[in-house]
Amino acid sequence: MGRATGSWLSGASAAMPSGVHPEYKGADIGLPRSGVGAVGSTGQRVLALFIDWIACGLIVLAFASFESQSLWTLGLWLLVGVLTVTLFGFTPGQYFAGLRVARIEGPTVRVGFVRALARGVLIVFLVPPLLQDGDGRGMQDRATGTVLVRTR
């Protein structure tokens, strides 16, 4: 049993053939090692999510009772995420964390509503962002053809 779950628990890169790991996160998709356009770090992602979640929670707390806050916060977070990623390419939290969502086909191409919606719905399930491939992309990014890159 340990061997069967070993590669799954170690992440997507553990299933790759021995010695075929990317040199750095983003190397296989043509992103730079560091600086603007490089794959965002896990710390930046967590910070962005924290900022977005707290902001949505405070807004909901002003209008709803504390008991119903969690579901309304999730709904507002999804709505804000889909709208802002569609219009600007980043959520407010991602902006402050120095990140933006980019398409793999072209970093200057807009993400679009359908990709932003699919990405947001997958993140709601919380497991996809935790499972990352060798390029540092979560399952939601792989499914939608996007990547979270640094803006500064």
Side-chain angles (χ1 to χ4, degrees):
M1 179 75 172
R3 182 181 173 137
T5 60
S7 67
W8 177 75
L9 292 174
S10 301
S13 60
M16 299 174 73
S18 172
V20 185
H21 298 287
E23 186 178 336
Y24 60 91
K25 289 183 177 186
D28 289 343
I29 52 178
L31 297 178
R33 180 185 300 265
S34 62
V36 175
V39 174
S41 70
T42 303
Q44 287 176 302
R45 294 167 191 247
V46 170
L47 175 63
L49 180 63
F50 181 76
I51 291 169
D52 288 336
W53 193 262
I54 294 299
C56 289
L58 291 174
I59 292 169
V60 168
L61 190 58
F63 296 103
S65 67
F66 187 76
E67 293 80 27
S68 64
Q69 183 182 8
S70 60
L71 186 59
W72 285 105
T73 300
L74 180 64
L76 180 62
W77 176 85
L78 180 61
L79 177 68
V80 167
V82 170
L83 290 177
T84 57
V85 168
T86 300
L87 295 173
F88 309 113
F90 49 79
T91 66
Q94 290 169 351
Y95 175 79
F96 287 112
L99 298 172
R100 110 181 137 75
V101 181
R103 287 180 53 176
I104 296 295
E105 303 90 48
T108 59
V109 179
R110 290 177 103 53
V111 175
F113 176 76
V114 174
R115 288 177 196 256
L117 179 63
R119 194 172 181 282
V121 168
L122 287 171
I123 292 173
V124 164
F125 291 107
L126 198 60
V127 173
L130 298 176
L131 301 176
Q132 296 182 0
D133 64 6
D135 285 317
R137 297 183 341 165
M139 289 172 49
Q140 79 283 359
D141 286 325
R142 290 186 55 88
T144 58
T146 60
V147 62
L148 205 55
V149 296
R150 297 176 183 195
T151 59
R152 53 179 179 252

